[in-house]
Amino acid sequence: MTPRLIYSFLIISNVWLALGASAWGNEVSQTVRTYAFPTDPFFYQPGPGQELANVYCIICHSAEYMYTQPPHSKKTWIEIVNKMKRAMGCPIPDDQIGSLATYLFQQNSTSPIPPPASP
Amino acid sequence: MNPPPPDGLTRRRFLQTSLTVGGLTALGNWPMLADATPALTLPFERGERPLIAFPEKRPLMVMTTRPPQLETPFSIFDESIFTPNDAFFVRWHLANIPQTIDTRQFKLTIRGRVNETLSLSLLDLKQQFESVEIAAVCQCGGNSRGFFQPRVPGGQWGHGAMGNAKWTGVRLHDLLEKAGIAPDAKYVRFDGLDRPIADTTPDFLKSIPLHEVGASQILVAYAMNGEPLPYLNGFPLRLIVPGWYATYWVKMLNDIEVLNEEDHNFWMDTAYRIPANACGCLEPGQKPTQTLPLTRMTVRSFITNIEDGATLAASPRQLIKGIAFDQGYGIDQVLFSADGGLHWEATQLGHDHGDFSFRPWEIQVVLQPGRSYRFQSLAINRIGESQQLHPQWNPNGYLRNAVETVHVTTRG
């Protein structure tokens, strides 16, 4: 852990302590709150199509969203990728959707959810 | 490590942050800690969830780290009727959440079809408006989605995407009254500080018809269980819509816009829709032809002190306890069955914290040695709505309120 991270955690805890005494005192209107968001615990795992997923499917959210899905059919994966493209704006080209969906189907039906710290 | 650049894609990928809990440190992306991470497994396929403490939170079940989506381990609901702030579930849609909030600069804007645009600081809210408190359950529309059969896409929650808290803040009604509503006003739309990562993703906005606001107890809350809101639960302000699913409880609320027409944004028109029929349900696998926005919660109850699959000693007086809630009519009674619904007995309701709160209940039962039991609870609200005996289905996994079963065996 670097000093900088310790420091950012201290900012949070100091503010917190200050607030303990009076839940909504003037302090709360006079503070800068920072939050150290953790980063993705893992990415898409090896398999044909991994690169596509690691380009197009970790832009907006971590790969956990995929790995925690129940085993979906390949058809459902095509629907999900289409939703990510049409509704959310995922920049996957149409001619790659098939290969990506095959990879997602493969991972989601056979590969366990990776542990938080795998590379 | 370099400080993160302002919002953008790259920092998300390369920044490595630490989580610190009570002096212990667990570092993301450090392989040596992989095996040591504690986890809980939800009782459905792919239900393994690591338990990780985000800042201000105790270890919670991580569904996704980015954006944070954290489930409350179910045992917490047995510990207190109000869910502790550090155990309260977390659900964000969009991952571009500010890392810093300067409360000296923060303003809540009320604009649109109003006579006067308001720009209120946190102190203005506190000083110019009456402060009110309400106990209310905040439950994700997709709570329990993982139990749908057949399974459906969406966030795969167990039963822990809910919590009960005392919320303190000002009435939305008072804010709108101060701004003055234009005669043609129809909807009120809410926005928070969270933004999409890509500009192509619709910003998260939710709207409520104006006629629902007048009679309601909708609050703009600044405190939760007597403390400022935790960052992940929407610091510094959160919309509280008692009785409605949490999708309306906009976090980091900073913008209220009064509209003179229905809101057709993605999160109203496409997402969070249920089949437009009395049960909001369909035959499994069907797609709805007409839909409605998801709004009010169904009546539910849970057994909290005994886990599914538990082995207990025989006992002349085994205490069973749990919680029940609905959309705000209040709980009239909770029935208990030890035999999977063949026979039902009345339970004793506990302290009433208000119509929108969890209501505790309990019962003492006789447990014979060497038996299998199927414990169930069935709540009925004050207008006679009850839980479903069998789960209903819809393609987005909303509204679950089936009677849940806790299987128990007794030692011989």
Side-chain angles (χ1 to χ4, degrees):
Chain A
M1 188 171 180
T2 65
R4 187 182 307 280
L5 289 170
I6 295 174
Y7 178 68
S8 83
F9 181 75
L10 284 179
I11 294 175
I12 291 170
S13 48
N14 281 344
V15 171
W16 209 230
L17 289 177
L19 295 175
S22 78
W24 182 261
N26 290 351
E27 302 94 316
V28 85
S29 329
Q30 299 296 325
T31 53
V32 179
R33 295 285 313 273
T34 63
Y35 198 87
F37 286 91
T39 49
D40 299 20
F42 56 80
F43 296 104
Y44 288 90
Q45 303 292 299
Q50 176 190 24
E51 303 75 20
L52 282 178
N54 274 334
V55 170
Y56 293 112
C57 303
I58 56 166
I59 301 171
C60 307
H61 49 72
S62 52
E64 293 156 299
Y65 233 149
M66 195 293 283
Y67 282 98
T68 53
Q69 291 299 299
H72 291 313
S73 66
K74 176 138 181 237
K75 180 168 165 275
T76 301
W77 278 111
I78 293 176
E79 283 168 16
I80 292 174
V81 175
N82 274 315
K83 172 180 168 187
M84 295 307 137
K85 176 164 181 159
R86 308 255 132 72
M88 306 304 176
C90 173
I92 175 104
D94 279 340
D95 61 5
Q96 311 264 35
I97 290 178
S99 325
L100 179 57
T102 305
Y103 168 78
L104 296 170
F105 171 67
Q106 245 286 321
Q107 286 292 303
N108 166 249
S109 48
T110 60
S111 173
I113 304 174
S118 75
Chain B
M1 185 180 300
N2 293 320
D7 297 310
L9 290 184
T10 44
R11 97 178 139 77
R12 308 276 169 188
R13 299 239 216 128
F14 301 117
L15 170 70
Q16 195 175 320
T17 323
S18 71
L19 302 172
T20 310
V21 201
L24 294 172
T25 305
L27 292 169
N29 301 357
W30 282 39
M32 63 198 180
L33 287 164
D35 297 340
T37 309
L40 285 175
T41 300
L42 295 166
F44 42 72
E45 263 189 287
R46 308 187 76 84
E48 300 78 14
R49 301 287 184 269
L51 282 167
I52 294 184
F54 281 53
E56 294 182 347
K57 293 284 179 184
R58 69 177 81 179
L60 300 177
M61 302 164 77
V62 179
M63 185 167 75
T64 64
T65 303
R66 181 177 62 90
Q69 301 196 88
L70 313 175
E71 173 164 349
T72 304
F74 201 78
S75 59
I76 304 278
F77 298 112
D78 196 53
E79 291 169 17
S80 54
I81 207 70
F82 291 105
T83 316
N85 288 3
D86 71 348
F88 214 93
F89 84 100
V90 170
R91 192 281 197 248
W92 291 85
H93 301 78
L94 308 175
N96 189 357
I97 305 166
Q99 299 191 12
T100 301
I101 294 179
D102 183 345
T103 56
R104 295 164 302 189
Q105 307 293 325
F106 181 89
K107 290 279 181 340
L108 172 67
T109 306
I110 298 152
R111 64 192 177 95
R113 306 300 302 156
V114 292
N115 300 337
E116 183 202 353
T117 297
L118 303 181
S119 177
L120 302 166
S121 70
L122 294 173
L123 270 185
D124 293 339
L125 279 180
K126 172 79 177 162
Q127 290 171 351
Q128 296 175 18
F129 300 89
E130 189 189 343
S131 154
V132 286
E133 184 179 87
I134 188 167
V137 176
C138 174
Q139 181 187 210
C140 176
N143 193 26
S144 314
R145 182 180 286 122
F147 293 96
F148 273 63
Q149 279 301 337
R151 298 282 296 272
V152 295
Q156 302 299 312
W157 301 108
H159 297 311
M162 63 174 186
N164 187 38
K166 284 181 221 152
W167 311 93
T168 315
V170 303
R171 292 185 196 90
L172 174 63
H173 184 263
D174 292 351
L175 296 176
L176 293 178
E177 201 169 71
K178 174 104 192 256
I181 300 283
D184 63 350
K186 288 201 179 61
Y187 273 78
V188 189
R189 177 158 76 188
F190 304 91
D191 192 7
L193 292 173
D194 54 329
R195 288 287 176 272
I197 294 282
D199 319 330
T200 46
T201 306
D203 188 20
F204 186 73
L205 301 166
K206 292 299 288 190
S207 297
I208 296 179
L210 189 63
H211 66 82
E212 297 278 7
V213 174
S216 76
Q217 309 190 48
I218 301 177
L219 298 189
V220 171
Y222 45 70
M224 171 175 171
N225 293 326
E227 299 281 343
L229 292 159
Y231 206 91
L232 292 181
N233 295 109
F235 182 87
L237 295 177
R238 180 171 198 175
L239 193 72
I240 304 305
V241 191
W244 288 39
Y245 282 104
T247 178
Y248 292 93
W249 299 42
V250 172
K251 297 179 287 299
M252 292 188 182
L253 176 71
N254 74 327
D255 187 62
I256 299 179
E257 186 183 0
V258 179
L259 309 174
N260 62 357
E261 57 182 6
E262 192 173 345
D263 179 11
H264 293 294
N265 98 75
F266 174 83
W267 302 101
M268 294 301 300
D269 249 20
T270 309
Y272 289 109
R273 308 284 298 188
I274 53 171
N277 58 35
C279 65
C281 65
L282 292 176
E283 286 302 314
Q286 299 298 106
K287 292 216 161 80
T289 47
Q290 281 199 310
T291 61
L292 287 171
L294 175 73
T295 55
R296 295 184 161 82
M297 300 195 290
T298 49
V299 54
R300 299 193 81 175
S301 69
F302 295 95
I303 293 165
T304 55
N305 70 330
I306 297 172
E307 264 184 58
D308 189 26
T311 304
L312 301 178
S315 163
R317 280 195 321 273
Q318 169 68 47
L319 175 70
I320 318 275
K321 62 204 240 319
I323 51 176
F325 64 96
D326 76 330
Q327 58 172 282
Y329 291 105
I331 295 301
D332 183 51
Q333 50 175 322
V334 177
L335 305 178
F336 174 80
S337 172
D339 57 11
L342 295 176
H343 302 89
W344 294 98
E345 297 171 68
T347 71
Q348 186 88 44
L349 292 183
H351 185 77
D352 187 352
H353 293 275
D355 293 346
F356 295 95
S357 168
F358 281 160
R359 185 82 193 261
W361 59 267
E362 62 176 59
I363 186 171
Q364 311 254 9
V365 297
V366 181
L367 294 185
Q368 310 288 352
R371 292 267 301 270
S372 299
Y373 291 94
R374 295 202 297 150
F375 290 170
Q376 296 183 332
S377 63
L378 170 68
I380 302 166
N381 72 6
R382 294 195 186 117
I383 61 161
E385 292 172 334
S386 71
Q387 289 180 256
Q388 303 295 323
L389 291 178
H390 301 289
Q392 296 180 327
W393 191 91
N394 58 62
N396 292 328
Y398 296 136
L399 300 171
R400 183 178 170 99
N401 77 330
V403 163
E404 309 292 347
T405 305
V406 172
H407 299 83
V408 169
T409 48
T410 46
R411 285 186 275 273

